[in-house]
Amino acid sequence: MSQQAYLERLKALSTRLVLLQKPIRILDAIKWPAELEADFRAAKGKKLPALDKDFYQQYKFNFDPDQLYLALGELKQDVKRQLGRGDALGQILHVTIEQYQIVIELLRARGTPQFGHFSRLLYGSASDRIRGDRKTLRQMGERLCHIFSLPAVEHLNRPYNQHIDAQQAVDILQQRMNQYFAPGAVRVEISDNIVSDAAAGGDCIKVNRRAFFSELDLQVLEVHEGWVHIGTTLNGRQQPWATWLSVGSPRITAIQEGMAVLMETLTFSSFPQRARRISDRVVAVDLAEQGADFCEVYQYFLERGISEHDSYRVTQRVFRGGTLAGGSVFTKDISYVKGFVENVNFIRSAIQSGVPEIIPMLFLGKVTLDDLPLLYERYLEGVVIGPKYLPAMFRDLNGLYVWFGFSSGMSLTNLARVQQHFNKLFKKLPATEPIYEARTDGEWE
C-alpha cells in the first residue's frame, strides 16, 4: 500500500469515528435538575436526593445505544483490517474507539452499581497511583487541600466581587476569544441548559444565564475553556489525516483538565480557593468510592468549613450518574489533579531528557501523554501538523524551560529544614491582618 493510500484510509476511518461519537453527551445524560440543591439544603442535608435508575431513564439519547455499539465494533475491525494490527496510529484509533464503547456501557448503567465500574475503566480511581510514583491521588488531593487551607490563604483572601452578569461575560469573553483565535472562530453565547456557570464544547463557550462572574473568573474561563479545551479542539480539526484528534474520549480527560489547570497557574489566573475546590474533588471521589453516601460526603465538607453551596456542588459532581448510597460514582473529577501532576512531570522529564521540542505537542489535539512520542514522530514525517493555536509560553519555550528548570533544581532542597530556619524569623513578627484592606471608597488595595 502506498503512503497516500494509507493516509486516505487513516482519514476515512478517523472521520467515521468523529461522526459516530458526535451524538454522545456524557454530562448531559447524567446531569441533575438545578432545583434539587434547594430541596436538599431545605432538608438540612439529611435526606438523599430522589434520584435512582428510573430518573436517568427519562433522558432520551439522540442515538440507539445498541446500534452505535455495533457500529463502533465494525469500525474497530475495519481499523485492524485496513491499517494492519501493527500500525501505531491505528492502535491509538483502536483504543479510542473502545473507549466510546465503554462510554455506552457507562450510560446504560446509570443509577446502578455497574456505573462505577465503567467509570473507573474510563477515568480511573482516587486510589490509583501517580504515574511513576508511589503516592495515590487521594494522598495528593489531601496534601493539596492542606496547602490551600493554611492560615496564609486568609492573608491573601482578596474579595473578588462577582459583579459581571452573563451578558457582560459573553461580550468580554467573545472579545478575548477573537483576539486569541481567528475572529469568528469561537462563539460565546448565553445558555439556559447548563448547570455549571460556564462550559465549553467544540468551538463554543456557553455561559449560564443565571451566573455572575468576577474578573478573575473570566480570566480562568479564558485560559481553561478557551486556550486549552477549545484550542486543542480546533488544532485537532486542522489535522489533515488523524482527524479523530479533534474529539475527546475519556482517555484524554486527565491531560486536558490538568493542562487547563496548569494554564490557570502559569497565567496567574487561579487563586487558593479555586485550587482547594479542585483538590477537594479527589477527596470526594475517594470517600464516595469507599462507600460514603451523598449526605456523608456533603457533611464531610461542611465540617471542614466549606459553604453549603460549594459542599453540595463538589458532592453532586461525584454522585451524578451513580448510586447515592455510595460505591458506584462518577470518578471523572480526579482528572484535574491527576492531569496537573502528570503534565508537570512530563514537561520536567522532557527537559531533563533533552527533548523540550515535544512539549508543544500537548496542544496538538485531544491526546494522552503516551501518544505524544509517536505523534511527534509523525509530525516530523508530515503526517501530523503542529498546533496552530498555542499559548505564548509554549510557542517560545525559553521562559518555560527556565521556570521548570528552577522547579526541578529546587526539588533537591530539604524544605522541612528550610522552613524550620525561616520559622525562627517569622515567629518574631507581630500578628498581622490580611494584606488587602478596604479603602474609604470601597475599593481594595
Side-chain angles (χ1 to χ4, degrees), residues 222-345:
E222 177 184 0
V223 301
H224 187 116
E225 307 292 353
W227 293 11
V228 176
H229 292 329
I230 291 181
T232 51
T233 295
L234 297 185
N235 287 336
R237 290 179 181 176
Q238 296 283 326
Q239 295 302 324
W241 313 109
T243 58
W244 84 85
L245 291 173
S246 65
V247 297
S249 70
R251 69 189 293 266
I252 60 87
T253 301
I255 301 311
Q256 278 284 296
E257 299 298 357
M259 180 54 67
V261 175
L262 178 58
M263 286 307 308
E264 294 177 28
T265 306
L266 292 175
T267 58
F268 295 100
S269 301
S270 194
F271 47 97
Q273 292 81 3
R274 173 166 173 76
R276 168 68 191 273
R277 287 199 299 268
I278 290 170
S279 305
D280 282 340
R281 294 172 185 176
V282 179
V283 177
V285 169
D286 188 67
L287 290 171
E289 283 189 291
Q290 299 305 319
D293 68 20
F294 187 93
C295 295
E296 290 169 335
V297 175
Y298 172 78
Q299 291 295 329
Y300 175 90
F301 290 107
L302 273 187
E303 292 168 4
R304 280 151 184 78
I306 309 300
S307 70
E308 289 186 2
H309 174 68
D310 287 343
S311 294
Y312 176 86
R313 287 288 292 273
V314 69
T315 306
Q316 176 263 331
R317 290 176 63 97
V318 172
F319 281 87
R320 51 186 170 169
T323 57
L324 299 190
S328 175
V329 294
F330 193 46
T331 60
K332 173 182 177 287
D333 273 358
I334 66 171
S335 302
Y336 299 83
V337 169
K338 177 182 179 181
F340 178 87
V341 173
E342 293 190 343
N343 277 323
V344 168
N345 287 341

Side-chain angles (χ1 to χ4, degrees), residues 36 48 53 71 74 86 122 131 151 179 189 207 233 247 283 340 355 374 413-414 445:
L36 280 184
L48 293 176
K53 182 178 179 180
E74 292 173 359
L122 293 169
R131 184 191 304 236
Q179 291 172 347
E189 58 188 35
V207 176
T233 295
V247 297
V283 177
F340 178 87
V355 287
L374 171 69
T413 303
N414 187 322
E445 60 181 15

Side-chain angles (χ1 to χ4, degrees), residues 71 74 86-87 95 99 131 155 166 192 221 231 235 248 250 309 315 328 341 351 354 377 396 417 422 442-443:
E74 292 173 359
D87 182 72
V95 172
Q99 283 265 300
R131 184 191 304 236
H155 287 246
D192 295 311
L221 290 174
N235 287 336
H309 174 68
T315 306
S328 175
V341 173
I351 290 172
E377 289 180 18
D396 181 350
R417 290 184 179 179
F422 283 108
E443 293 297 321

Side-chain angles (χ1 to χ4, degrees), residues 21-30 59 61-63 103 107 202:
Q21 63 79 43
K22 191 171 184 178
I24 300 176
R25 294 289 180 268
I26 298 176
L27 298 186
D28 283 348
I30 61 175
Y59 176 88
F61 297 122
N62 294 325
F63 59 92
V103 167
L107 298 182

